[in-house]
Amino acid sequence: MQGLYVHVPFCPTLCPYCDFHVVRRHGGVVAAFLERLAEEAKALYAQYPEPLKTLYFGGGTPSFLRSAELQALFAALPWDIREAEVTMEANPGTLNPERLQLLRGLGVNRLSLGVQSFQDEVLRTLGRAHGRKGALKAVEMSLEAGFRTSLDLILGLPGQDFAADLREARALGVGHISAYTLQIEPGTPFALANLQTDEEQEARAFEQAEEILGEAGFVRYEVSNFALPHQESRHNKLYWQLGFWGALGPGAAAHLPDLAGKALYAIRATNPPLPRWLAGEGPSVEEISPLEHVKEALMLGLRLAEGVEVGELERQTSLEVWEKLEPAVRELEGQKLLWARGKRIGVARAGVAILHGIILRLWEALEAK
């Protein structure tokens, strides 16, 4: 187990586009959460006690916890994190110099700030609790406190000057920018209001993101992520490269090696929602076969600019992957949708917009008799 994800589901506000597992704090629910988390961490540590390379606190809004709760959160985790990339998601309104000093002392060295936009009207549409001034202040404080800092932006929103948001973000001195389009998820207030997005505008936004951020030295190392040299998210690359990570908290999903000797490659263990998790219910478990591992590794790894080393997948699974994939790879390479260097394959620029179709074509090749 190389990394650990900790899901902290509490949020000060529930955004109308969000379909993550989030709740408002009430009664003694945070104390109960921390007690249950400590139990879960102790059990996982007994199986995987090695020092962590990455630790990621997601949510929800982990930075929304009170100071004593943050201290209890870290005290619940027995792993050695001294050499780890330790990331915490934070909303601008939850930060101040004292809070940042506390986080540094606890071991956090990277902040992922949910800015989304620097335009007040757009932020109001998104239901965000902060405005432009609050976003800029949070970035300034984070950098002054010495954190590696990443910004989340949503692009292609109605009424948004996304080029202005991109130019503002690149000028702030951060090393990482995650840029997403707005996903209208079923059941969210935005879906119920029948809010529509514009795919052509979203495509233009990403073209401008590559151009505007590229001028400042940012590299699009993953479909939705841009970084200066050596500023990539190590934890998220663990996901895209389909390594092994543990997960704690309600709704959190782990990807762990098969320790039971069932000829599987891995297991995916997904925790239940907060009420059932607090009651002690364990995770649902999905068995990942060697072939399913290869398919998932292609789906995730082809999002990265560096692509996927098929030879490594063969080593991991003992399957003859390249023999099945090569005809489809050569076909897609001829269409300038894929590139291939030896057994390493990646998506060409023309293929990014149709990545889903490329992955389906490769899966089809894998499953051919």
Side-chain angles (χ1 to χ4, degrees):
M1 187 180 90
Q2 301 147 287
L4 178 67
Y5 174 76
V6 180
H7 186 71
V8 181
F10 308 107
C11 259
T13 59
L14 304 184
C15 298
Y17 58 87
C18 180
D19 75 333
F20 294 153
H21 181 44
V22 297
V23 297
R24 292 183 184 272
R25 62 182 303 149
H26 57 276
V29 69
V30 177
F33 162 82
L34 291 167
E35 181 179 350
R36 174 77 175 94
L37 189 81
E39 296 171 357
E40 191 176 40
K42 183 178 180 180
L44 185 63
Y45 181 75
Q47 289 185 289
Y48 304 98
E50 60 270 16
L52 295 175
K53 295 181 179 179
T54 70
L55 171 59
Y56 193 102
F57 295 93
T61 308
S63 62
F64 177 51
L65 295 181
R66 296 165 183 161
S67 295
E69 293 165 347
L70 285 168
Q71 291 170 325
L73 177 67
F74 277 81
L77 307 179
W79 288 271
D80 181 353
I81 62 171
R82 287 173 294 180
E83 301 299 320
E85 174 194 81
V86 182
T87 302
M88 179 169 285
E89 292 182 352
N91 283 350
T94 63
L95 299 180
N96 57 49
E98 294 73 28
R99 171 56 53 91
L100 292 167
Q101 184 178 5
L102 172 64
L103 293 176
R104 288 285 291 180
L106 291 171
V108 178
N109 48 42
R110 184 174 182 272
L111 288 179
S112 178
L113 301 181
V115 170
Q116 317 310 356
S117 175
F118 295 101
Q119 298 164 46
D120 285 328
E121 187 60 37
V122 173
L123 290 168
R124 282 192 288 270
T125 298
L126 292 173
R128 303 297 288 174
H130 66 272
R132 167 185 166 76
K133 290 182 179 179
L136 293 173
K137 183 62 176 177
V139 175
E140 178 186 356
M141 289 190 298
S142 176
L143 292 171
E144 286 182 351
F147 290 94
R148 289 175 56 202
T149 303
S150 175
L151 303 183
D152 278 3
L153 294 178
I154 299 178
L155 301 181
L157 296 167
Q160 180 189 26
D161 183 344
F162 44 80
D165 271 340
L166 289 162
R167 284 192 292 268
E168 187 119 50
R170 78 176 184 187
L172 292 174
V174 301
H176 191 281
I177 297 171
S178 297
Y180 306 100
T181 56
L182 181 66
Q183 302 297 312
I184 309 297
E185 303 293 350
T188 62
F190 273 6
L192 296 175
N194 199 30
L195 186 72
Q196 301 295 314
T197 57
D198 185 333
E199 291 186 4
E200 290 187 5
Q201 179 169 290
E202 291 173 349
R204 288 195 301 274
F206 272 102
E207 288 175 4
Q208 290 212 2
E210 204 159 7
E211 177 184 342
I212 291 171
L213 298 180
E215 291 171 354
F218 285 83
V219 175
R220 190 180 188 180
Y221 75 100
E222 192 270 343
V223 169
S224 297
N225 286 271
F226 302 78
L228 295 176
H230 313 299
Q231 293 293 309
E232 298 90 347
S233 168
R234 288 164 50 193
H235 185 82
N236 286 340
K237 285 191 75 173
L238 179 61
Y239 294 157
W240 297 317
Q241 293 172 337
L242 209 58
F244 293 119
W245 64 89
L248 304 174
H255 183 259
L256 295 167
D258 169 35
L259 299 181
K262 292 184 178 180
L264 303 172
Y265 181 79
I267 61 168
R268 180 177 294 109
T270 305
N271 280 339
L274 182 65
R276 288 158 44 198
W277 179 79
L278 286 175
E281 182 177 325
S284 61
V285 175
E286 179 185 355
E287 298 179 340
I288 310 297
S289 70
L291 178 59
E292 285 301 313
H293 169 68
V294 171
K295 291 172 68 176
E296 290 188 356
L298 289 171
M299 177 180 68
L300 294 169
L302 287 175
R303 293 181 60 87
L304 289 166
E306 66 192 61
V308 178
E309 177 51 64
V310 176
E312 177 64 14
L313 297 181
E314 292 182 318
R315 186 194 66 76
Q316 291 171 349
T317 63
S318 300
L319 298 177
E320 294 180 347
V321 180
W322 183 249
E323 182 178 337
K324 287 199 166 188
L325 283 183
E326 186 175 14
V329 168
R330 298 306 177 200
E331 173 191 334
L332 292 165
E333 188 181 23
Q335 297 168 1
K336 302 189 183 304
L337 299 175
L338 275 187
W339 54 260
R341 301 173 192 138
K343 289 187 177 181
R344 179 174 290 277
I345 62 173
V347 177
R349 185 168 184 175
V352 172
I354 57 168
L355 178 57
H356 180 67
I358 291 171
I359 290 166
L360 291 179
R361 177 69 185 89
L362 295 176
W363 283 5
E364 182 182 73
L366 281 173
E367 294 170 342
K369 299 298 185 183

